[in-house]
Amino acid sequence: AAVAPRIPPTRLALHHLDVNYSLQLKDLWPSVRAGLLCEQKYGALLNSFSPVDRITQELELLNATDFVSEASKKAQRLQWAAATEEAERGESQSRERPGEGRTAMQAETMTQAEMPPPLLASITSNIKCYTFPRGDITRFRPARPDTLGLLNYYLMDAASLLPVLALNVQPDDLVLDLCAAPGGKTLALLQTGVCGHLAANDVSVSRTKRLHQILHSYIPKEIREIVSVMSCDGRDWGQLQGGTFHKVLVDVPCTTDRHSVMEEDNNIFHKRRTKERQMLPMLQLQLLMAGILATKPGGEVVYSTCSLSPLQNEYVIE
């Protein structure tokens, strides 16, 4: 052991992913592997509590676009296309069976109420996250403070915004971010502008300090009053405040695939952390159960990871 060459945890991680994900993803794995090994692509989450018009113009001049609104527009186009196709199918059937179906002309005059609801329409107008085009990994410049001292955008992996969009917070919802630090998703939840109260928890005291810093850098004092930051073991939330929240985000600790193959520091594949890594699915299950127990009847829970591992995703849900 003393003379054997030290294998870096990034190499151990990549070998582990090669063995497992090549079986899971088959022909897709080479392109996914290349994506994991590419430089991380960031999005700029605009701070709606800071004047955004000027920064929006700056980002659009750089050829960045708001992927949230683009996704919403695409969803609406797909909904309209599906509705039109269904109407035309009905028109075709009505030729065979007069008096049945809906004509294409009628489809064009469908009322707003008849159309399927736009994708998360209640919050997409508030959440804006700019990214550069596919294949462009240009770095955004550091955020700058406005006249009130609030930073104008927060740089984060754009995919990290997806669990927040999926949570679909509604006006006055009581929301729990069970594993909140370092704070990007907590900040995004506040950008919706509709949280009645937001409990942000993380078991690590040092990470909750980072969360406090982010809130002070981006959120006005009067808005911070609706946020409770705590440092508890998330597995205990079901007993602490059971049946309390309308929406719960359970963004659990995981193998964090990209970090594991790219960064030596704090790498879960370090040999000293083998037992911790093996116990992750059990920890994730316990956190998810606590999140479910913390939710009101009829409420909603989003479970998310930064890993492609079925053990940490589908199997935890099952």
Side-chain angles (χ1 to χ4, degrees):
V3 297
R6 176 181 172 271
I7 302 175
T10 50
R11 190 168 149 197
L12 289 173
L14 188 57
H15 174 72
H16 176 87
L17 300 190
D18 277 333
V19 170
N20 290 280
Y21 291 171
S22 60
L23 296 174
Q24 173 192 343
L25 300 173
K26 299 183 172 61
D27 293 343
L28 291 175
W29 171 234
S31 60
V32 174
R33 187 184 196 271
L36 284 174
L37 293 171
C38 282
E39 187 174 352
Q40 187 171 6
K41 183 169 181 172
Y42 285 93
L45 174 67
L46 294 198
N47 184 8
S48 60
F49 302 107
S50 175
V52 296
D53 291 342
R54 182 176 176 182
I55 193 64
T56 297
Q57 293 173 358
E58 287 182 18
L59 294 176
E60 290 176 352
L61 286 173
L62 293 172
N63 201 29
T65 56
D66 173 21
F67 87 85
V68 181
S69 64
E70 289 299 315
S72 180
K73 291 174 186 175
K74 183 177 180 180
Q76 291 182 56
R77 287 195 297 269
L78 291 173
Q79 288 169 347
W80 173 255
T84 303
E85 182 181 351
E86 182 181 351
E88 289 174 348
R89 193 182 305 118
E91 181 182 18
S92 175
Q93 292 172 350
S94 68
R95 293 194 187 102
E96 302 170 10
R97 299 190 298 274
E100 296 183 19
R102 187 200 293 260
T103 67
M105 181 65 72
Q106 287 172 313
E108 291 177 10
T109 58
M110 288 174 72
T111 66
Q112 188 80 18
E114 290 177 282
M115 288 296 292
L119 176 67
L120 307 179
S122 63
I123 62 172
T124 50
S125 60
N126 294 332
I127 291 185
K128 299 183 186 299
C129 187
Y130 278 76
T131 57
F132 290 108
R134 183 173 183 172
D136 183 347
I137 55 172
T138 302
R139 291 278 179 165
F140 291 96
R141 62 162 178 76
R144 293 178 296 201
D146 61 16
T147 54
L148 297 176
L150 299 176
L151 298 177
N152 48 26
Y153 57 69
Y154 178 80
L155 297 180
M156 64 190 300
D157 190 315
S160 295
L161 194 58
L162 300 180
V164 174
L165 296 174
L167 199 59
N168 193 19
V169 180
Q170 298 300 307
D172 299 323
D173 274 352
L174 304 180
V175 183
L176 170 62
D177 188 353
L178 191 62
C179 309
K185 295 180 181 68
T186 301
L187 181 60
L189 285 166
L190 290 171
Q191 298 302 315
T192 65
V194 295
C195 294
H197 183 80
L198 174 59
N201 176 72
D202 198 274
V203 68
S204 168
V205 174
S206 61
R207 284 164 62 89
T208 52
K209 288 181 180 178
R210 169 66 177 150
L211 176 55
H212 274 293
Q213 291 172 355
I214 287 177
L215 292 176
H216 279 81
S217 298
Y218 288 89
I219 306 299
K221 183 178 179 181
E222 62 272 18
I223 304 298
R224 293 201 303 267
E225 292 176 356
I226 71 165
V227 184
S228 301
V229 178
M230 285 152 286
S231 185
C232 305
D233 187 330
R235 293 172 289 185
D236 297 333
W237 266 87
Q239 286 75 41
L240 293 173
Q241 294 187 37
T244 303
F245 299 93
H246 299 97
K247 301 290 173 69
V248 176
L249 176 59
V250 186
D251 184 58
V252 294
C254 65
T255 50
T256 321
D257 294 346
R258 182 193 293 277
H259 180 274
S260 294
V261 298
M262 296 289 282
E263 303 288 341
E264 297 290 335
D265 293 340
N266 198 32
N267 196 309
I268 192 73
F269 281 87
H270 196 288
K271 289 187 175 180
R272 290 196 302 267
R273 302 183 70 185
T274 300
K275 185 68 174 178
E276 179 186 353
R277 188 177 75 250
Q278 292 172 342
M279 293 301 294
L280 274 174
M282 179 57 69
L283 171 63
Q284 293 159 346
L285 175 61
Q286 291 169 334
L287 288 167
L288 176 56
M289 290 300 298
I292 292 170
L293 291 172
T295 309
K296 288 176 177 288
E300 297 179 31
V301 179
V302 167
Y303 172 85
S304 61
T305 75
C306 307
S307 171
L308 297 172
S309 166
L311 270 177
Q312 300 175 65
N313 290 294
E314 296 94 317
Y315 293 168
V316 171
I317 299 297
E318 288 175 9

